[in-house]
Amino acid sequence: MDHSGHGMTMDLPPFTLGRGLAWSADPFFLIACLLGLALYGWGVVRLVRRGDKWPVGRTVAFVAGVLSIALMMCTKLNDYGMVMFSVHMVQHMVISMVSPILLLLGAPITLALRALPPAGRGRKGPRELLLMLLHSRYMRIITHPAFTIPLFIASLYALYFTPLFDTLMGSQAGHIAMMVHFLAVGVVFFWPIMGVDPGPHRPGYLMRMLELFAGMPFHAFFGIALMMASSPMVETFKNPPASLGIDALSDQNAAGGIAWAFSEVPSVLVLLALLFQWYASEERQARRSDRAADRDGDKELAAYNAYLASLNTRGG
C-alpha cells in the first residue's frame, strides 16, 4: 500500500474495524517493534540465567506497549489514518499516551542497566554510555516539566493548526518522523511522572500528580476545538476519497471526540500506577523502620518516651 502523498490515491473501501485491523506493515515500525522485543527478551533471559528475578508484570507491560505500536502502525489502521482524521487521531492518541505508559511500566532502562555487563576499568561499553546519558545535562533538560509540559501541548496545537502537519503527511519519511515524535514526546512526558526507571528528574508523588494534570486539560481543549469547528481545519483530511463514503467535517468532529476522550485514559492509568507505587514505597519505608527498630532495640521510641518524660518533669 502506498503511503506517499496525502493518501488520496488510495482506493480504500468504507472503514470497518475488521478492515482496519487487517495486516499492512510499515517496514520501519515492524523492524523497530521486533528489535525492541528481541532486546528486552535478551535482557530478561540474561537475568533469569544469572539467577536474578525480573517481575513478570514488567515484561507483560513492555510487550503490550510494543504490540500497541504494532497495532497502530502495522495494520490497515495506518493506511486509513492517512485519509481519515478520526483513525489518525486514534493512532496519535495510542502512540503518544498509551504506548509510552506501557513501555515505561516495563522499566526497560532498569533492565538494561542490570543486564548489560560492565565494560571494565577505564573502558566505556553500552552500560557506561547509558549511565552517562542518564546523568547528562541534556537528559535533565528534556525530562524537566518546564520542557515536557509545553512540548506535550505544542505537539497538538503547533502541529495540527499549522501547515507543518500537511508537510509531514506529504511523504512516508515525514509520516514516520511524526509518529516517532509522538512516541518520544509521550515517553519524556510520562517518564518523570511514572518513576519506574531511574531518571534525572524525580519529584515527590504529589508533584508528579500535578505534572500529570497540568498537561491533560489542553488535550481536552484541543478535542473540543475540533468538535466545535464548523469547517474542516486540516488540509490533509479536507477531501477524503469518495470510496470511503465519509463527510470530512463529521470525521473531524469524531477525531475531536477521540482526542477529548483519550485525555482521561492516561490520567486514570497513570494515577492508578502512581497510587500503587506510593503505597509500595510507604510499605518499604515501614519495613525499613521495623528492621532498624529490631536492630537497635527501638532507640527512636525510647528516646521519644524519654523526651515526653522530661516534659512531664519540667511541667511538674
Side-chain angles (χ1 to χ4, degrees), residues 187-213:
V187 168
V188 296
F189 179 76
F190 289 112
W191 180 12
I193 296 169
M194 303 294 292
V196 180
D197 273 327
H201 173 66
R202 186 64 74 242
Y205 287 99
L206 202 58
M207 198 64 201
R208 290 186 205 180
M209 289 181 190
L210 289 174
E211 281 181 36
L212 171 67
F213 290 120

mmCIF file with all atom_site columns, all heavy atoms in Angstrom, residues 187-213:
data_model
loop_
_atom_site.group_PDB
_atom_site.id
_atom_site.type_symbol
_atom_site.label_atom_id
_atom_site.label_alt_id
_atom_site.label_comp_id
_atom_site.label_asym_id
_atom_site.label_entity_id
_atom_site.label_seq_id
_atom_site.pdbx_PDB_ins_code
_atom_site.Cartn_x
_atom_site.Cartn_y
_atom_site.Cartn_z
_atom_site.occupancy
_atom_site.B_iso_or_equiv
_atom_site.pdbx_formal_charge
_atom_site.auth_seq_id
_atom_site.auth_comp_id
_atom_site.auth_asym_id
_atom_site.auth_atom_id
_atom_site.pdbx_PDB_model_num
ATOM 1   N N   . VAL A 1 187 ? 6.941  9.549  25.899 1.00 0.00 ? 187 VAL A N   1
ATOM 2   C CA  . VAL A 1 187 ? 7.928  8.930  26.806 1.00 0.00 ? 187 VAL A CA  1
ATOM 3   C C   . VAL A 1 187 ? 8.550  9.974  27.733 1.00 0.00 ? 187 VAL A C   1
ATOM 4   O O   . VAL A 1 187 ? 8.607  9.779  28.947 1.00 0.00 ? 187 VAL A O   1
ATOM 5   C CB  . VAL A 1 187 ? 9.024  8.177  26.012 1.00 0.00 ? 187 VAL A CB  1
ATOM 6   C CG1 . VAL A 1 187 ? 10.195 7.803  26.916 1.00 0.00 ? 187 VAL A CG1 1
ATOM 7   C CG2 . VAL A 1 187 ? 8.448  6.909  25.374 1.00 0.00 ? 187 VAL A CG2 1
ATOM 8   N N   . VAL A 1 188 ? 9.010  11.119 27.176 1.00 0.00 ? 188 VAL A N   1
ATOM 9   C CA  . VAL A 1 188 ? 9.657  12.116 28.047 1.00 0.00 ? 188 VAL A CA  1
ATOM 10  C C   . VAL A 1 188 ? 8.648  12.807 28.973 1.00 0.00 ? 188 VAL A C   1
ATOM 11  O O   . VAL A 1 188 ? 9.007  13.264 30.057 1.00 0.00 ? 188 VAL A O   1
ATOM 12  C CB  . VAL A 1 188 ? 10.485 13.175 27.266 1.00 0.00 ? 188 VAL A CB  1
ATOM 13  C CG1 . VAL A 1 188 ? 11.646 12.529 26.548 1.00 0.00 ? 188 VAL A CG1 1
ATOM 14  C CG2 . VAL A 1 188 ? 9.646  14.013 26.334 1.00 0.00 ? 188 VAL A CG2 1
ATOM 15  N N   . PHE A 1 189 ? 7.375  12.862 28.573 1.00 0.00 ? 189 PHE A N   1
ATOM 16  C CA  . PHE A 1 189 ? 6.359  13.458 29.446 1.00 0.00 ? 189 PHE A CA  1
ATOM 17  C C   . PHE A 1 189 ? 6.032  12.537 30.622 1.00 0.00 ? 189 PHE A C   1
ATOM 18  O O   . PHE A 1 189 ? 5.976  12.973 31.780 1.00 0.00 ? 189 PHE A O   1
ATOM 19  C CB  . PHE A 1 189 ? 5.081  13.766 28.650 1.00 0.00 ? 189 PHE A CB  1
ATOM 20  C CG  . PHE A 1 189 ? 3.979  14.356 29.494 1.00 0.00 ? 189 PHE A CG  1
ATOM 21  C CD1 . PHE A 1 189 ? 4.019  15.683 29.899 1.00 0.00 ? 189 PHE A CD1 1
ATOM 22  C CD2 . PHE A 1 189 ? 2.897  13.580 29.907 1.00 0.00 ? 189 PHE A CD2 1
ATOM 23  C CE1 . PHE A 1 189 ? 3.008  16.225 30.695 1.00 0.00 ? 189 PHE A CE1 1
ATOM 24  C CE2 . PHE A 1 189 ? 1.876  14.117 30.686 1.00 0.00 ? 189 PHE A CE2 1
ATOM 25  C CZ  . PHE A 1 189 ? 1.939  15.442 31.084 1.00 0.00 ? 189 PHE A CZ  1
ATOM 26  N N   . PHE A 1 190 ? 5.814  11.246 30.322 1.00 0.00 ? 190 PHE A N   1
ATOM 27  C CA  . PHE A 1 190 ? 5.379  10.323 31.378 1.00 0.00 ? 190 PHE A CA  1
ATOM 28  C C   . PHE A 1 190 ? 6.528  9.725  32.198 1.00 0.00 ? 190 PHE A C   1
ATOM 29  O O   . PHE A 1 190 ? 6.302  9.253  33.298 1.00 0.00 ? 190 PHE A O   1
ATOM 30  C CB  . PHE A 1 190 ? 4.533  9.186  30.778 1.00 0.00 ? 190 PHE A CB  1
ATOM 31  C CG  . PHE A 1 190 ? 3.179  9.628  30.305 1.00 0.00 ? 190 PHE A CG  1
ATOM 32  C CD1 . PHE A 1 190 ? 2.855  9.640  28.950 1.00 0.00 ? 190 PHE A CD1 1
ATOM 33  C CD2 . PHE A 1 190 ? 2.220  10.063 31.208 1.00 0.00 ? 190 PHE A CD2 1
ATOM 34  C CE1 . PHE A 1 190 ? 1.611  10.056 28.505 1.00 0.00 ? 190 PHE A CE1 1
ATOM 35  C CE2 . PHE A 1 190 ? 0.966  10.483 30.782 1.00 0.00 ? 190 PHE A CE2 1
ATOM 36  C CZ  . PHE A 1 190 ? 0.664  10.478 29.428 1.00 0.00 ? 190 PHE A CZ  1
ATOM 37  N N   . TRP A 1 191 ? 7.753  9.755  31.682 1.00 0.00 ? 191 TRP A N   1
ATOM 38  C CA  . TRP A 1 191 ? 8.892  9.130  32.375 1.00 0.00 ? 191 TRP A CA  1
ATOM 39  C C   . TRP A 1 191 ? 9.104  9.691  33.789 1.00 0.00 ? 191 TRP A C   1
ATOM 40  O O   . TRP A 1 191 ? 9.119  8.928  34.761 1.00 0.00 ? 191 TRP A O   1
ATOM 41  C CB  . TRP A 1 191 ? 10.134 9.276  31.502 1.00 0.00 ? 191 TRP A CB  1
ATOM 42  C CG  . TRP A 1 191 ? 11.403 8.695  32.049 1.00 0.00 ? 191 TRP A CG  1
ATOM 43  C CD1 . TRP A 1 191 ? 11.540 7.858  33.128 1.00 0.00 ? 191 TRP A CD1 1
ATOM 44  C CD2 . TRP A 1 191 ? 12.729 8.903  31.553 1.00 0.00 ? 191 TRP A CD2 1
ATOM 45  N NE1 . TRP A 1 191 ? 12.864 7.534  33.322 1.00 0.00 ? 191 TRP A NE1 1
ATOM 46  C CE2 . TRP A 1 191 ? 13.615 8.165  32.363 1.00 0.00 ? 191 TRP A CE2 1
ATOM 47  C CE3 . TRP A 1 191 ? 13.248 9.636  30.492 1.00 0.00 ? 191 TRP A CE3 1
ATOM 48  C CZ2 . TRP A 1 191 ? 14.991 8.157  32.156 1.00 0.00 ? 191 TRP A CZ2 1
ATOM 49  C CZ3 . TRP A 1 191 ? 14.614 9.619  30.279 1.00 0.00 ? 191 TRP A CZ3 1
ATOM 50  C CH2 . TRP A 1 191 ? 15.471 8.886  31.097 1.00 0.00 ? 191 TRP A CH2 1
ATOM 51  N N   . PRO A 1 192 ? 9.234  11.036 33.957 1.00 0.00 ? 192 PRO A N   1
ATOM 52  C CA  . PRO A 1 192 ? 9.423  11.547 35.321 1.00 0.00 ? 192 PRO A CA  1
ATOM 53  C C   . PRO A 1 192 ? 8.213  11.303 36.219 1.00 0.00 ? 192 PRO A C   1
ATOM 54  O O   . PRO A 1 192 ? 8.342  11.198 37.434 1.00 0.00 ? 192 PRO A O   1
ATOM 55  C CB  . PRO A 1 192 ? 9.636  13.053 35.118 1.00 0.00 ? 192 PRO A CB  1
ATOM 56  C CG  . PRO A 1 192 ? 9.899  13.232 33.667 1.00 0.00 ? 192 PRO A CG  1
ATOM 57  C CD  . PRO A 1 192 ? 9.214  12.115 32.961 1.00 0.00 ? 192 PRO A CD  1
ATOM 58  N N   . ILE A 1 193 ? 7.025  11.216 35.594 1.00 0.00 ? 193 ILE A N   1
ATOM 59  C CA  . ILE A 1 193 ? 5.798  11.039 36.373 1.00 0.00 ? 193 ILE A CA  1
ATOM 60  C C   . ILE A 1 193 ? 5.659  9.593  36.842 1.00 0.00 ? 193 ILE A C   1
ATOM 61  O O   . ILE A 1 193 ? 5.311  9.328  37.997 1.00 0.00 ? 193 ILE A O   1
ATOM 62  C CB  . ILE A 1 193 ? 4.561  11.460 35.537 1.00 0.00 ? 193 ILE A CB  1
ATOM 63  C CG1 . ILE A 1 193 ? 4.641  12.958 35.217 1.00 0.00 ? 193 ILE A CG1 1
ATOM 64  C CG2 . ILE A 1 193 ? 3.265  11.152 36.267 1.00 0.00 ? 193 ILE A CG2 1
ATOM 65  C CD1 . ILE A 1 193 ? 3.620  13.439 34.194 1.00 0.00 ? 193 ILE A CD1 1
ATOM 66  N N   . MET A 1 194 ? 5.957  8.636  35.945 1.00 0.00 ? 194 MET A N   1
ATOM 67  C CA  . MET A 1 194 ? 5.801  7.206  36.284 1.00 0.00 ? 194 MET A CA  1
ATOM 68  C C   . MET A 1 194 ? 6.842  6.756  37.309 1.00 0.00 ? 194 MET A C   1
ATOM 69  O O   . MET A 1 194 ? 6.548  5.987  38.204 1.00 0.00 ? 194 MET A O   1
ATOM 70  C CB  . MET A 1 194 ? 5.928  6.330  35.041 1.00 0.00 ? 194 MET A CB  1
ATOM 71  C CG  . MET A 1 194 ? 4.960  6.670  33.932 1.00 0.00 ? 194 MET A CG  1
ATOM 72  S SD  . MET A 1 194 ? 3.265  6.363  34.383 1.00 0.00 ? 194 MET A SD  1
ATOM 73  C CE  . MET A 1 194 ? 3.254  4.609  34.496 1.00 0.00 ? 194 MET A CE  1
ATOM 74  N N   . GLY A 1 195 ? 8.089  7.205  37.104 1.00 0.00 ? 195 GLY A N   1
ATOM 75  C CA  . GLY A 1 195 ? 9.126  6.945  38.099 1.00 0.00 ? 195 GLY A CA  1
ATOM 76  C C   . GLY A 1 195 ? 9.531  5.504  38.307 1.00 0.00 ? 195 GLY A C   1
ATOM 77  O O   . GLY A 1 195 ? 9.983  5.155  39.387 1.00 0.00 ? 195 GLY A O   1
ATOM 78  N N   . VAL A 1 196 ? 9.368  4.618  37.313 1.00 0.00 ? 196 VAL A N   1
ATOM 79  C CA  . VAL A 1 196 ? 9.822  3.232  37.477 1.00 0.00 ? 196 VAL A CA  1
ATOM 80  C C   . VAL A 1 196 ? 11.321 3.155  37.194 1.00 0.00 ? 196 VAL A C   1
ATOM 81  O O   . VAL A 1 196 ? 12.091 2.629  37.986 1.00 0.00 ? 196 VAL A O   1
ATOM 82  C CB  . VAL A 1 196 ? 9.047  2.264  36.542 1.00 0.00 ? 196 VAL A CB  1
ATOM 83  C CG1 . VAL A 1 196 ? 9.525  0.832  36.734 1.00 0.00 ? 196 VAL A CG1 1
ATOM 84  C CG2 . VAL A 1 196 ? 7.546  2.347  36.811 1.00 0.00 ? 196 VAL A CG2 1
ATOM 85  N N   . ASP A 1 197 ? 11.732 3.718  36.061 1.00 0.00 ? 197 ASP A N   1
ATOM 86  C CA  . ASP A 1 197 ? 13.152 3.742  35.706 1.00 0.00 ? 197 ASP A CA  1
ATOM 87  C C   . ASP A 1 197 ? 13.862 4.907  36.387 1.00 0.00 ? 197 ASP A C   1
ATOM 88  O O   . ASP A 1 197 ? 13.237 5.921  36.676 1.00 0.00 ? 197 ASP A O   1
ATOM 89  C CB  . ASP A 1 197 ? 13.301 3.914  34.185 1.00 0.00 ? 197 ASP A CB  1
ATOM 90  C CG  . ASP A 1 197 ? 13.260 2.587  33.443 1.00 0.00 ? 197 ASP A CG  1
ATOM 91  O OD1 . ASP A 1 197 ? 13.730 1.580  34.008 1.00 0.00 ? 197 ASP A OD1 1
ATOM 92  O OD2 . ASP A 1 197 ? 12.756 2.552  32.310 1.00 0.00 ? 197 ASP A OD2 1
ATOM 93  N N   . PRO A 1 198 ? 15.188 4.769  36.612 1.00 0.00 ? 198 PRO A N   1
ATOM 94  C CA  . PRO A 1 198 ? 15.931 5.912  37.153 1.00 0.00 ? 198 PRO A CA  1
ATOM 95  C C   . PRO A 1 198 ? 15.953 7.041  36.137 1.00 0.00 ? 198 PRO A C   1
ATOM 96  O O   . PRO A 1 198 ? 15.936 6.801  34.938 1.00 0.00 ? 198 PRO A O   1
ATOM 97  C CB  . PRO A 1 198 ? 17.345 5.340  37.363 1.00 0.00 ? 198 PRO A CB  1
ATOM 98  C CG  . PRO A 1 198 ? 17.438 4.185  36.431 1.00 0.00 ? 198 PRO A CG  1
ATOM 99  C CD  . PRO A 1 198 ? 16.058 3.612  36.344 1.00 0.00 ? 198 PRO A CD  1
ATOM 100 N N   . GLY A 1 199 ? 15.947 8.264  36.622 1.00 0.00 ? 199 GLY A N   1
ATOM 101 C CA  . GLY A 1 199 ? 15.986 9.422  35.723 1.00 0.00 ? 199 GLY A CA  1
ATOM 102 C C   . GLY A 1 199 ? 16.476 10.640 36.479 1.00 0.00 ? 199 GLY A C   1
ATOM 103 O O   . GLY A 1 199 ? 16.470 10.654 37.710 1.00 0.00 ? 199 GLY A O   1
ATOM 104 N N   . PRO A 1 200 ? 16.885 11.676 35.746 1.00 0.00 ? 200 PRO A N   1
ATOM 105 C CA  . PRO A 1 200 ? 17.453 12.861 36.411 1.00 0.00 ? 200 PRO A CA  1
ATOM 106 C C   . PRO A 1 200 ? 16.432 13.692 37.172 1.00 0.00 ? 200 PRO A C   1
ATOM 107 O O   . PRO A 1 200 ? 16.759 14.380 38.114 1.00 0.00 ? 200 PRO A O   1
ATOM 108 C CB  . PRO A 1 200 ? 18.046 13.663 35.251 1.00 0.00 ? 200 PRO A CB  1
ATOM 109 C CG  . PRO A 1 200 ? 17.356 13.163 34.029 1.00 0.00 ? 200 PRO A CG  1
ATOM 110 C CD  . PRO A 1 200 ? 16.945 11.759 34.288 1.00 0.00 ? 200 PRO A CD  1
ATOM 111 N N   . HIS A 1 201 ? 15.164 13.629 36.759 1.00 0.00 ? 201 HIS A N   1
ATOM 112 C CA  . HIS A 1 201 ? 14.127 14.447 37.401 1.00 0.00 ? 201 HIS A CA  1
ATOM 113 C C   . HIS A 1 201 ? 13.147 13.513 38.103 1.00 0.00 ? 201 HIS A C   1
ATOM 114 O O   . HIS A 1 201 ? 12.428 12.760 37.470 1.00 0.00 ? 201 HIS A O   1
ATOM 115 C CB  . HIS A 1 201 ? 13.406 15.278 36.322 1.00 0.00 ? 201 HIS A CB  1
ATOM 116 C CG  . HIS A 1 201 ? 12.227 16.034 36.839 1.00 0.00 ? 201 HIS A CG  1
ATOM 117 N ND1 . HIS A 1 201 ? 12.335 17.065 37.745 1.00 0.00 ? 201 HIS A ND1 1
ATOM 118 C CD2 . HIS A 1 201 ? 10.904 15.901 36.594 1.00 0.00 ? 201 HIS A CD2 1
ATOM 119 C CE1 . HIS A 1 201 ? 11.126 17.519 38.028 1.00 0.00 ? 201 HIS A CE1 1
ATOM 120 N NE2 . HIS A 1 201 ? 10.240 16.839 37.336 1.00 0.00 ? 201 HIS A NE2 1
ATOM 121 N N   . ARG A 1 202 ? 13.184 13.529 39.430 1.00 0.00 ? 202 ARG A N   1
ATOM 122 C CA  . ARG A 1 202 ? 12.331 12.606 40.172 1.00 0.00 ? 202 ARG A CA  1
ATOM 123 C C   . ARG A 1 202 ? 11.635 13.333 41.328 1.00 0.00 ? 202 ARG A C   1
ATOM 124 O O   . ARG A 1 202 ? 12.087 13.333 42.455 1.00 0.00 ? 202 ARG A O   1
ATOM 125 C CB  . ARG A 1 202 ? 13.184 11.437 40.714 1.00 0.00 ? 202 ARG A CB  1
ATOM 126 C CG  . ARG A 1 202 ? 12.399 10.343 41.367 1.00 0.00 ? 202 ARG A CG  1
ATOM 127 C CD  . ARG A 1 202 ? 11.460 9.604  40.431 1.00 0.00 ? 202 ARG A CD  1
ATOM 128 N NE  . ARG A 1 202 ? 12.152 8.711  39.547 1.00 0.00 ? 202 ARG A NE  1
ATOM 129 C CZ  . ARG A 1 202 ? 12.135 8.842  38.225 1.00 0.00 ? 202 ARG A CZ  1
ATOM 130 N NH1 . ARG A 1 202 ? 11.469 9.828  37.650 1.00 0.00 ? 202 ARG A NH1 1
ATOM 131 N NH2 . ARG A 1 202 ? 12.768 7.997  37.448 1.00 0.00 ? 202 ARG A NH2 1
ATOM 132 N N   . PRO A 1 203 ? 10.505 14.012 41.041 1.00 0.00 ? 203 PRO A N   1
ATOM 133 C CA  . PRO A 1 203 ? 9.800  14.748 42.097 1.00 0.00 ? 203 PRO A CA  1
ATOM 134 C C   . PRO A 1 203 ? 9.019  13.802 43.023 1.00 0.00 ? 203 PRO A C   1
ATOM 135 O O   . PRO A 1 203 ? 8.911  12.597 42.754 1.00 0.00 ? 203 PRO A O   1
ATOM 136 C CB  . PRO A 1 203 ? 8.850  15.641 41.303 1.00 0.00 ? 203 PRO A CB  1
ATOM 137 C CG  . PRO A 1 203 ? 8.602  14.888 40.031 1.00 0.00 ? 203 PRO A CG  1
ATOM 138 C CD  . PRO A 1 203 ? 9.842  14.080 39.759 1.00 0.00 ? 203 PRO A CD  1
ATOM 139 N N   . GLY A 1 204 ? 8.445  14.367 44.092 1.00 0.00 ? 204 GLY A N   1
ATOM 140 C CA  . GLY A 1 204 ? 7.616  13.576 45.008 1.00 0.00 ? 204 GLY A CA  1
ATOM 141 C C   . GLY A 1 204 ? 6.303  13.195 44.336 1.00 0.00 ? 204 GLY A C   1
ATOM 142 O O   . GLY A 1 204 ? 5.962  13.709 43.267 1.00 0.00 ? 204 GLY A O   1
ATOM 143 N N   . TYR A 1 205 ? 5.552  12.311 44.989 1.00 0.00 ? 205 TYR A N   1
ATOM 144 C CA  . TYR A 1 205 ? 4.335  11.768 44.372 1.00 0.00 ? 205 TYR A CA  1
ATOM 145 C C   . TYR A 1 205 ? 3.275  12.840 44.099 1.00 0.00 ? 205 TYR A C   1
ATOM 146 O O   . TYR A 1 205 ? 2.608  12.812 43.067 1.00 0.00 ? 205 TYR A O   1
ATOM 147 C CB  . TYR A 1 205 ? 3.760  10.643 45.237 1.00 0.00 ? 205 TYR A CB  1
ATOM 148 C CG  . TYR A 1 205 ? 4.592  9.387  45.143 1.00 0.00 ? 205 TYR A CG  1
ATOM 149 C CD1 . TYR A 1 205 ? 5.524  9.073  46.126 1.00 0.00 ? 205 TYR A CD1 1
ATOM 150 C CD2 . TYR A 1 205 ? 4.493  8.539  44.043 1.00 0.00 ? 205 TYR A CD2 1
ATOM 151 C CE1 . TYR A 1 205 ? 6.323  7.937  46.025 1.00 0.00 ? 205 TYR A CE1 1
ATOM 152 C CE2 . TYR A 1 205 ? 5.276  7.409  43.924 1.00 0.00 ? 205 TYR A CE2 1
ATOM 153 C CZ  . TYR A 1 205 ? 6.186  7.107  44.924 1.00 0.00 ? 205 TYR A CZ  1
ATOM 154 O OH  . TYR A 1 205 ? 6.974  6.008  44.798 1.00 0.00 ? 205 TYR A OH  1
ATOM 155 N N   . LEU A 1 206 ? 3.136  13.785 45.021 1.00 0.00 ? 206 LEU A N   1
ATOM 156 C CA  . LEU A 1 206 ? 2.129  14.836 44.836 1.00 0.00 ? 206 LEU A CA  1
ATOM 157 C C   . LEU A 1 206 ? 2.485  15.713 43.636 1.00 0.00 ? 206 LEU A C   1
ATOM 158 O O   . LEU A 1 206 ? 1.621  16.054 42.816 1.00 0.00 ? 206 LEU A O   1
ATOM 159 C CB  . LEU A 1 206 ? 2.037  15.689 46.109 1.00 0.00 ? 206 LEU A CB  1
ATOM 160 C CG  . LEU A 1 206 ? 0.739  16.467 46.295 1.00 0.00 ? 206 LEU A CG  1
ATOM 161 C CD1 . LEU A 1 206 ? -0.465 15.539 46.300 1.00 0.00 ? 206 LEU A CD1 1
ATOM 162 C CD2 . LEU A 1 206 ? 0.787  17.269 47.583 1.00 0.00 ? 206 LEU A CD2 1
ATOM 163 N N   . MET A 1 207 ? 3.783  16.035 43.517 1.00 0.00 ? 207 MET A N   1
ATOM 164 C CA  . MET A 1 207 ? 4.256  16.859 42.412 1.00 0.00 ? 207 MET A CA  1
ATOM 165 C C   . MET A 1 207 ? 4.046  16.134 41.075 1.00 0.00 ? 207 MET A C   1
ATOM 166 O O   . MET A 1 207 ? 3.679  16.744 40.064 1.00 0.00 ? 207 MET A O   1
ATOM 167 C CB  . MET A 1 207 ? 5.742  17.169 42.611 1.00 0.00 ? 207 MET A CB  1
ATOM 168 C CG  . MET A 1 207 ? 6.226  18.342 41.778 1.00 0.00 ? 207 MET A CG  1
ATOM 169 S SD  . MET A 1 207 ? 5.402  19.863 42.297 1.00 0.00 ? 207 MET A SD  1
ATOM 170 C CE  . MET A 1 207 ? 5.638  20.844 40.828 1.00 0.00 ? 207 MET A CE  1
ATOM 171 N N   . ARG A 1 208 ? 4.251  14.821 41.082 1.00 0.00 ? 208 ARG A N   1
ATOM 172 C CA  . ARG A 1 208 ? 4.055  14.031 39.853 1.00 0.00 ? 208 ARG A CA  1
ATOM 173 C C   . ARG A 1 208 ? 2.598  14.108 39.396 1.00 0.00 ? 208 ARG A C   1
ATOM 174 O O   . ARG A 1 208 ? 2.313  14.211 38.206 1.00 0.00 ? 208 ARG A O   1
ATOM 175 C CB  . ARG A 1 208 ? 4.429  12.566 40.094 1.00 0.00 ? 208 ARG A CB  1
ATOM 176 C CG  . ARG A 1 208 ? 5.912  12.350 40.285 1.00 0.00 ? 208 ARG A CG  1
ATOM 177 C CD  . ARG A 1 208 ? 6.199  10.872 40.365 1.00 0.00 ? 208 ARG A CD  1
ATOM 178 N NE  . ARG A 1 208 ? 7.416  10.604 41.101 1.00 0.00 ? 208 ARG A NE  1
ATOM 179 C CZ  . ARG A 1 208 ? 7.893  9.394  41.319 1.00 0.00 ? 208 ARG A CZ  1
ATOM 180 N NH1 . ARG A 1 208 ? 7.218  8.334  40.904 1.00 0.00 ? 208 ARG A NH1 1
ATOM 181 N NH2 . ARG A 1 208 ? 9.010  9.207  41.984 1.00 0.00 ? 208 ARG A NH2 1
ATOM 182 N N   . MET A 1 209 ? 1.681  14.034 40.364 1.00 0.00 ? 209 MET A N   1
ATOM 183 C CA  . MET A 1 209 ? 0.255  14.112 40.019 1.00 0.00 ? 209 MET A CA  1
ATOM 184 C C   . MET A 1 209 ? -0.083 15.480 39.423 1.00 0.00 ? 209 MET A C   1
ATOM 185 O O   . MET A 1 209 ? -0.846 15.583 38.466 1.00 0.00 ? 209 MET A O   1
ATOM 186 C CB  . MET A 1 209 ? -0.594 13.837 41.251 1.00 0.00 ? 209 MET A CB  1
ATOM 187 C CG  . MET A 1 209 ? -0.544 12.375 41.682 1.00 0.00 ? 209 MET A CG  1
ATOM 188 S SD  . MET A 1 209 ? -1.572 12.073 43.131 1.00 0.00 ? 209 MET A SD  1
ATOM 189 C CE  . MET A 1 209 ? -1.076 10.398 43.542 1.00 0.00 ? 209 MET A CE  1
ATOM 190 N N   . LEU A 1 210 ? 0.533  16.530 39.988 1.00 0.00 ? 210 LEU A N   1
ATOM 191 C CA  . LEU A 1 210 ? 0.296  17.884 39.461 1.00 0.00 ? 210 LEU A CA  1
ATOM 192 C C   . LEU A 1 210 ? 0.827  18.002 38.037 1.00 0.00 ? 210 LEU A C   1
ATOM 193 O O   . LEU A 1 210 ? 0.193  18.614 37.178 1.00 0.00 ? 210 LEU A O   1
ATOM 194 C CB  . LEU A 1 210 ? 0.972  18.931 40.370 1.00 0.00 ? 210 LEU A CB  1
ATOM 195 C CG  . LEU A 1 210 ? 0.325  19.127 41.740 1.00 0.00 ? 210 LEU A CG  1
ATOM 196 C CD1 . LEU A 1 210 ? 1.159  20.077 42.590 1.00 0.00 ? 210 LEU A CD1 1
ATOM 197 C CD2 . LEU A 1 210 ? -1.100 19.668 41.603 1.00 0.00 ? 210 LEU A CD2 1
ATOM 198 N N   . GLU A 1 211 ? 2.005  17.410 37.777 1.00 0.00 ? 211 GLU A N   1
ATOM 199 C CA  . GLU A 1 211 ? 2.578  17.419 36.424 1.00 0.00 ? 211 GLU A CA  1
ATOM 200 C C   . GLU A 1 211 ? 1.651  16.713 35.442 1.00 0.00 ? 211 GLU A C   1
ATOM 201 O O   . GLU A 1 211 ? 1.453  17.161 34.315 1.00 0.00 ? 211 GLU A O   1
ATOM 202 C CB  . GLU A 1 211 ? 3.952  16.720 36.410 1.00 0.00 ? 211 GLU A CB  1
ATOM 203 C CG  . GLU A 1 211 ? 5.073  17.591 36.925 1.00 0.00 ? 211 GLU A CG  1
ATOM 204 C CD  . GLU A 1 211 ? 6.415  16.874 36.867 1.00 0.00 ? 211 GLU A CD  1
ATOM 205 O OE1 . GLU A 1 211 ? 6.649  16.103 35.920 1.00 0.00 ? 211 GLU A OE1 1
ATOM 206 O OE2 . GLU A 1 211 ? 7.233  17.093 37.777 1.00 0.00 ? 211 GLU A OE2 1
ATOM 207 N N   . LEU A 1 212 ? 1.100  15.593 35.884 1.00 0.00 ? 212 LEU A N   1
ATOM 208 C CA  . LEU A 1 212 ? 0.190  14.821 35.038 1.00 0.00 ? 212 LEU A CA  1
ATOM 209 C C   . LEU A 1 212 ? -1.020 15.660 34.652 1.00 0.00 ? 212 LEU A C   1
ATOM 210 O O   . LEU A 1 212 ? -1.391 15.755 33.480 1.00 0.00 ? 212 LEU A O   1
ATOM 211 C CB  . LEU A 1 212 ? -0.254 13.548 35.771 1.00 0.00 ? 212 LEU A CB  1
ATOM 212 C CG  . LEU A 1 212 ? -1.373 12.728 35.122 1.00 0.00 ? 212 LEU A CG  1
ATOM 213 C CD1 . LEU A 1 212 ? -0.897 12.116 33.812 1.00 0.00 ? 212 LEU A CD1 1
ATOM 214 C CD2 . LEU A 1 212 ? -1.854 11.628 36.067 1.00 0.00 ? 212 LEU A CD2 1
ATOM 215 N N   . PHE A 1 213 ? -1.627 16.314 35.651 1.00 0.00 ? 213 PHE A N   1
ATOM 216 C CA  . PHE A 1 213 ? -2.868 17.049 35.392 1.00 0.00 ? 213 PHE A CA  1
ATOM 217 C C   . PHE A 1 213 ? -2.622 18.394 34.708 1.00 0.00 ? 213 PHE A C   1
ATOM 218 O O   . PHE A 1 213 ? -3.544 18.987 34.161 1.00 0.00 ? 213 PHE A O   1
ATOM 219 C CB  . PHE A 1 213 ? -3.663 17.216 36.679 1.00 0.00 ? 213 PHE A CB  1
ATOM 220 C CG  . PHE A 1 213 ? -4.236 15.918 37.177 1.00 0.00 ? 213 PHE A CG  1
ATOM 221 C CD1 . PHE A 1 213 ? -3.898 15.409 38.422 1.00 0.00 ? 213 PHE A CD1 1
ATOM 222 C CD2 . PHE A 1 213 ? -5.081 15.168 36.373 1.00 0.00 ? 213 PHE A CD2 1
ATOM 223 C CE1 . PHE A 1 213 ? -4.410 14.184 38.867 1.00 0.00 ? 213 PHE A CE1 1
ATOM 224 C CE2 . PHE A 1 213 ? -5.601 13.949 36.800 1.00 0.00 ? 213 PHE A CE2 1
ATOM 225 C CZ  . PHE A 1 213 ? -5.265 13.463 38.051 1.00 0.00 ? 213 PHE A CZ  1
#
